[in-house]
Amino acid sequence: MLSDTNLIFVLGFFINFLFAFIIIRFVYFPRQSEHTYLFTFLAFNTVIYFIMGLFTSVELSIGAGFGLFALFSVLRYRTETVPIHEMTYLFLMVALPVLNSILISSGQYEELILTNVLITGVIWTLENGWGFTSRMRSKEIVYEKIDLVHPDKQEEMLADIRERTGLYVVRFEIGRIDYLHDTVDGRIFYLEEAE
């Protein structure tokens, strides 16, 4: 049978995982429809909760918990580039179990629920662009009308890209120019109407 301390720890895990799941499934996923990072987000969240539980049960300092952040920054430079939007969710999935573990171990149950509800609410509000009429998005494209890639012909190029994509493109950033194939790799920035 579980002791009261272990029962509270397990209950804290379910609360932590429930809010992490709500954020990823109902806030992140409907907007991104991206499966690539779902495993990473929820696995990080789960493992960090248990690590923080170990830190509190073994009487290790919270400074050791912040050492985790240093470890993740080193991992960040050793892995593929992750878009800033996904890095924000990854940071959230790292910070949430740290907060939850500290609050559950110190017996602050109302603060635990209130913190999770507020964080989820803020993330949902920001992700849905509440109060904003439009949103800036970007996409990488390969553009073959290389003669229009000139500062004097910028408006003509943007009009051509708008016509082809049906998007309201406001800017085009030139990446790599391939004169052999007469193409330009670049990124378009366009306004997407908020839903």
Side-chain angles (χ1 to χ4, degrees), residues 124-138:
W124 180 84
T125 301
L126 294 173
E127 188 67 59
N128 287 294
W130 192 42
F132 299 97
T133 57
S134 63
R135 298 176 59 140
M136 183 69 73
R137 297 284 190 174
S138 69

Side-chain angles (χ1 to χ4, degrees), residues 9 48-69 98 101-102 105:
F9 178 71
I48 290 171
Y49 181 81
F50 285 118
I51 291 172
M52 287 304 297
L54 174 67
F55 284 169
T56 56
S57 68
V58 181
E59 302 288 332
L60 293 174
S61 71
I62 292 300
F66 288 111
L68 282 173
F69 289 106
V98 172
S101 179
I102 291 169
S105 67

Side-chain angles (χ1 to χ4, degrees), residues 3-188:
S3 69
D4 288 344
T5 307
N6 289 338
L7 191 60
I8 289 171
F9 178 71
V10 170
L11 179 64
F13 163 72
F14 284 114
I15 291 170
N16 174 68
F17 191 80
L18 173 69
F19 279 97
F21 182 80
I22 289 169
I23 289 170
I24 296 304
R25 174 61 185 94
F26 298 107
V27 179
Y28 171 79
F29 186 71
R31 287 301 231 168
Q32 303 302 320
S33 297
E34 179 68 49
H35 289 88
T36 309
Y37 301 106
L38 297 181
F39 171 79
T40 304
F41 293 153
L42 294 174
F44 263 61
N45 182 274
T46 301
V47 170
I48 290 171
Y49 181 81
F50 285 118
I51 291 172
M52 287 304 297
L54 174 67
F55 284 169
T56 56
S57 68
V58 181
E59 302 288 332
L60 293 174
S61 71
I62 292 300
F66 288 111
L68 282 173
F69 289 106
L71 174 65
F72 297 135
S73 358
V74 169
L75 288 175
R76 166 83 174 104
Y77 294 113
R78 296 285 182 194
T79 59
E80 69 179 54
T81 303
V82 176
I84 191 70
H85 189 257
E86 279 67 25
M87 279 303 294
T88 304
Y89 275 95
L90 183 60
F91 179 75
L92 176 64
M93 290 297 109
V94 168
L96 195 65
V98 172
L99 286 170
N100 288 337
S101 179
I102 291 169
L103 291 171
I104 199 82
S105 67
S106 62
Q108 298 174 326
Y109 306 122
E110 288 105 21
E111 289 86 351
L112 172 77
I113 298 299
L114 184 62
T115 300
N116 281 279
V117 168
L118 289 174
I119 288 172
T120 304
V122 167
I123 296 301
W124 180 84
T125 301
L126 294 173
E127 188 67 59
N128 287 294
W130 192 42
F132 299 97
T133 57
S134 63
R135 298 176 59 140
M136 183 69 73
R137 297 284 190 174
S138 69
K139 287 183 187 261
E140 290 185 11
I141 66 165
V142 177
Y143 188 64
E144 84 285 347
K145 288 190 176 180
I146 200 164
D147 57 311
L148 294 180
V149 182
H150 191 276
D152 296 340
K153 297 183 179 183
Q154 182 176 6
E155 282 306 314
E156 189 179 344
M157 177 186 62
L158 290 176
D160 180 55
I161 295 172
R162 286 180 195 133
E163 184 179 326
R164 289 171 174 220
T165 63
L167 302 171
Y168 185 72
V169 179
V170 294
R171 191 170 88 234
F172 179 73
E173 284 185 2
I174 298 171
R176 189 175 76 85
I177 300 175
D178 183 352
Y179 289 108
L180 183 63
H181 297 101
D182 284 338
T183 60
V184 176
D185 294 335
R187 179 172 289 275
I188 58 170

